[in-house]
Amino acid sequence: MPIIVHLDVMLAKRKMRSRELSEHIGITEQNVSLLKSGKVKGIRFDTLDSICKALDCQPGDLLEHVPGNEA
Amino acid sequence: MANSSERTATPADRIERVSRLMIWVITAGGAIMVLAYTSVWVVPGWLEDAAAQNLLGATATISAGPVLRLFAALIAALPLALVLYGLWQIRELFRLFGDRHYFSVDGSKRLLRFGAALLLAAPAGIVTRSIVSVLLTMNNPEGSRHLVVQMGSNDYFLVVVGGLLLVVGWVMREAARMQHELQQIV
């Protein structure tokens, strides 16, 4: 997938655990884990909005497009 | 005033309740079909009555011996076997609905098989009725042997409903694929 998710980096920067984030944004810890590992097909705008609010960041801080990374 | 502890039935509750009921209805219906079919061929006089009413007409006689009757019974069982197979598939589909699995690959397969069984039951019924009419009257004297080619509105509706269920099965397969994709979006 050419979209790389940097959620783990942002969580480390904000010193926040996955469980804490999942409680903040109202999705399961399992889904946060899947999102961190990039094993999802998509992310809803409202989930992205909640994550950005919880981590005080921009969508660009969480997602990166890497051309040619099709694996 | 309604008791606040009473939960209002959701559509999922209704689907579960009706599905569980339908499992029993289908099981009972299948058993009754097998019982009725066997009775027609085993109980003396019932085959003659059934053939007079539904196949050969009131004036026809059946002179087939036990072996020919057994052959006819086996051939006539083909459409019934198809319908029973279809009923089994739809029973399993209701079991999935009862367990609240609405859009599953297994469910779409069950519906497709039910539709295919109904579609095949119509031509199978037409062909087997013709063969059975020949077998039951082939020992009759010349002039009173029958070859019945019978096609009724039931056969037509079997084809229409079977075709509809086949298409709904494909739609359900597509819905299962979409639901699987939605589950991968957080």
Side-chain angles (χ1 to χ4, degrees):
Chain A
M1 186 68 143
I3 302 292
I4 308 294
V5 182
H6 294 304
L7 183 58
D8 48 351
V9 177
M10 282 311 295
L11 281 169
K13 279 184 183 169
R14 300 291 186 260
K15 295 184 173 58
M16 193 184 278
R17 287 166 180 263
S18 297
R19 179 176 293 177
E20 214 179 319
L21 179 68
S22 72
E23 283 164 4
H24 261 92
I25 64 176
I27 67 170
T28 63
E29 205 181 336
Q30 190 193 2
N31 274 345
V32 171
S33 173
L34 287 171
L35 194 54
K36 269 167 65 181
S37 59
K39 288 177 183 167
V40 291
K41 280 208 169 174
I43 178 167
R44 291 189 181 88
F45 279 155
D46 53 355
T47 308
L48 191 58
D49 175 46
S50 304
I51 295 173
C52 287
K53 278 177 185 158
L55 297 177
D56 189 25
C57 65
Q58 290 297 313
D61 299 325
L62 297 166
L63 306 171
E64 184 190 358
H65 180 251
V66 181
N69 187 1
E70 300 295 335
Chain B
M1 199 169 147
N3 187 344
S4 58
S5 65
E6 273 178 29
R7 198 167 61 90
T8 314
T10 63
D13 293 334
R14 192 166 54 237
I15 292 170
E16 184 180 341
R17 201 174 53 243
V18 175
S19 296
R20 302 252 179 252
L21 176 70
M22 287 308 292
I23 289 173
W24 285 106
V25 170
I26 290 168
T27 309
I32 290 168
M33 278 184 199
V34 172
L35 193 68
Y37 179 81
T38 313
S39 302
V40 164
W41 293 92
V42 169
V43 178
W46 281 30
L47 177 64
E48 285 73 8
D49 289 345
Q53 283 173 25
N54 304 316
L55 191 67
L56 303 172
T59 55
T61 54
I62 296 173
S63 55
V67 177
L68 276 178
R69 282 177 189 237
L70 181 65
F71 269 130
L74 289 174
I75 288 165
L78 179 67
L80 177 69
L82 281 169
V83 170
L84 288 176
Y85 171 76
L87 282 178
W88 176 258
Q89 297 303 324
I90 216 74
R91 183 185 180 277
E92 290 303 298
L93 181 64
F94 277 121
R95 193 181 52 73
L96 285 171
F97 289 161
D99 293 340
R100 304 195 173 199
H101 300 302
Y102 306 127
F103 301 111
S104 61
V105 175
D106 190 26
S108 65
K109 272 185 199 163
R110 303 277 179 192
L111 200 57
L112 282 170
R113 287 174 190 164
F114 181 53
L118 289 192
L119 262 180
L120 287 174
I126 295 165
V127 172
T128 55
R129 280 195 296 269
S130 298
I131 296 171
V132 167
S133 69
V134 170
L135 287 173
L136 292 180
T137 59
M138 69 189 297
N139 285 346
N140 287 5
E142 268 183 46
S144 61
R145 292 171 193 157
H146 287 72
L147 166 62
V148 174
V149 180
Q150 192 182 58
M151 200 173 102
S153 56
N154 280 352
D155 301 309
Y156 170 71
F157 280 111
L158 273 181
V159 170
V160 171
V161 174
L164 172 70
L165 291 176
L166 211 60
V167 173
V168 172
W170 286 323
V171 170
M172 207 166 141
R173 183 190 282 171
E174 197 57 20
R177 190 191 59 75
M178 285 166 74
Q179 198 201 26
H180 178 69
E181 208 168 276
L182 269 177
Q183 280 168 347
Q184 291 182 297
I185 296 174
V186 294

